[in-house]
Amino acid sequence: MLVFKSLSDWYSGTNKLERLWLLAKIEFKLRYYENKLGLFWALLKPVLDIAIYYVVFQVIMKQDVPAFASYLFIGLILYNFFLESTSGTVQILNTKKYLYEYSNMNKLEIYISTLMSNVIGFSFNFVMFLLFYNFLEPESTGASVYNFWIIPIFLNLFIMSLGISLILSNIYIIAKDITQIWQVFSTLLLFISPIFYKLSSFKKALPSFDYANPLAGIIINARRVMMQNIPPDFDLMFFDFGYGFLFLLIGLILLNKLGARAAEKL
């Protein structure tokens, strides 16, 4: 299997994880370095997004969704992780050319360290969600053992984001229009995922679309285990992991075929 072989080849060196963690921390700090509020933006931005969408969809459009603020909160932080991890890496082979040209870094490490920096940001937001849902949300059902299912669900999101990042950035080598195309598609994805709407309305409008849209399945299962205290939909999870590994396989193939020529093309 190309996926396991590539990952095994990459891991065979020494100090890989330590180097990845160091790069991820640097990447995360640099993102907010020039802002006066610094790292506080990592918490403030999603809170502001949630406030805006809450006013639009709950106050103005009056969505009849229980615990809507928390419903929106967890949907948005998962979507934002996916968006930052995919849109933010489209030009990565160009912007971080110096890393793989003048050091012994594997290209795959550059992607993984960037996604790990996004994991740090997601962790801040997820802790905020836990505090809000368990201590401030009036309709909270409290914590349960099913909450631990969020770990494989998030792992699924990480694998899918890594695969799509590899695909987009390697297509960018031969077609730079992919940046604009992905911006349009990611906006479409925001509105065809059950982030703002009641799940029953989403399924009625787009029957079986939760199986065609892996991000929808991940959000649905995250809410099941974090807010409804029930196990994930295992059929949906099976499909979503399948999508994740398929995207990762395609991404690794493209990295082997196109990524090798990135330095001369970009």
Side-chain angles (χ1 to χ4, degrees):
M1 288 289 290
L2 180 60
V3 173
F4 296 111
K5 184 177 183 307
S6 297
L7 293 175
S8 174
D9 290 346
W10 163 75
Y11 188 71
S12 60
T14 57
N15 299 324
K16 296 281 188 179
L17 291 178
E18 186 180 347
R19 185 163 65 184
L20 283 179
W21 177 238
L22 180 63
L23 282 172
K25 286 194 295 184
I26 293 171
E27 174 91 15
F28 181 73
K29 288 177 181 174
L30 284 176
R31 194 177 308 165
Y32 302 99
Y33 180 74
E34 294 181 350
N35 300 321
K36 288 186 177 177
L37 293 180
L39 295 179
F40 186 60
W41 274 113
L43 297 174
L44 189 59
K45 185 180 181 305
V47 171
L48 292 176
D49 287 345
I50 289 161
I52 293 168
Y53 290 128
Y54 184 88
V55 171
V56 173
F57 288 93
Q58 182 73 347
V59 178
I60 299 175
M61 299 180 69
K62 300 192 183 303
Q63 289 283 319
D64 182 23
V65 178
F68 185 71
S70 300
Y71 184 90
L72 198 55
F73 202 152
I74 194 163
L76 272 179
I77 60 174
L78 290 167
Y79 171 81
N80 284 340
F81 175 82
F82 175 78
L83 182 65
E84 287 178 8
S85 300
T86 52
S87 299
T89 52
V90 173
Q91 300 181 34
I92 197 170
L93 289 174
N94 187 27
T95 58
K96 297 193 175 177
K97 190 190 295 186
Y98 63 95
L99 280 176
Y100 59 84
E101 274 198 317
Y102 303 111
S103 72
N104 63 346
M105 279 193 74
N106 184 300
K107 290 188 180 71
L108 189 57
E109 289 180 67
I110 299 171
Y111 289 89
I112 294 175
S113 62
T114 302
L115 262 68
M116 283 174 67
S117 75
N118 294 338
V119 172
I120 297 172
F122 174 83
S123 301
F124 277 109
N125 295 322
F126 186 68
V127 170
M128 289 285 287
F129 164 78
L130 288 176
L131 294 174
F132 180 83
Y133 181 69
N134 289 293
F135 296 104
L136 297 176
E137 176 62 72
E139 298 177 88
S140 169
T141 55
S144 86
V145 69
Y146 293 115
N147 294 167
F148 289 103
W149 277 104
I150 195 65
I151 297 171
I153 291 169
F154 183 73
L155 177 64
N156 188 175
L157 180 63
F158 187 95
I159 293 170
M160 187 173 75
S161 302
L162 176 59
I164 294 177
S165 297
L166 287 164
I167 294 170
L168 293 174
S169 59
N170 281 283
I171 292 176
Y172 180 81
I173 297 171
I174 54 174
K176 294 182 174 51
D177 294 334
I178 193 66
T179 305
Q180 282 72 32
I181 293 170
W182 187 247
Q183 283 177 359
V184 174
F185 184 79
S186 55
T187 302
L188 174 67
L189 195 60
L190 175 67
F191 290 100
I192 60 171
S193 299
I195 296 173
F196 308 109
Y197 324 111
K198 188 189 288 188
L199 184 57
S200 56
S201 303
F202 173 79
K203 288 189 172 183
K204 185 178 178 183
L206 299 168
S208 302
F209 196 68
D210 45 347
Y211 285 90
N213 175 359
L215 186 60
I218 288 170
I219 291 171
I220 290 169
N221 273 332
R223 286 180 178 140
R224 286 172 66 99
V225 303
M226 296 306 302
M227 297 181 63
Q228 300 171 26
N229 290 348
I230 56 177
D233 180 327
F234 291 108
D235 289 340
L236 208 50
M237 182 180 266
F238 176 78
F239 269 86
D240 293 341
F241 266 105
Y243 280 120
F245 281 113
L246 177 63
F247 290 138
L248 184 56
L249 176 63
I250 295 171
L252 289 173
I253 291 171
L254 289 177
L255 186 64
N256 285 336
K257 298 286 184 186
L258 300 175
R261 293 183 288 153
E264 57 191 80
K265 291 282 186 183
L266 293 172

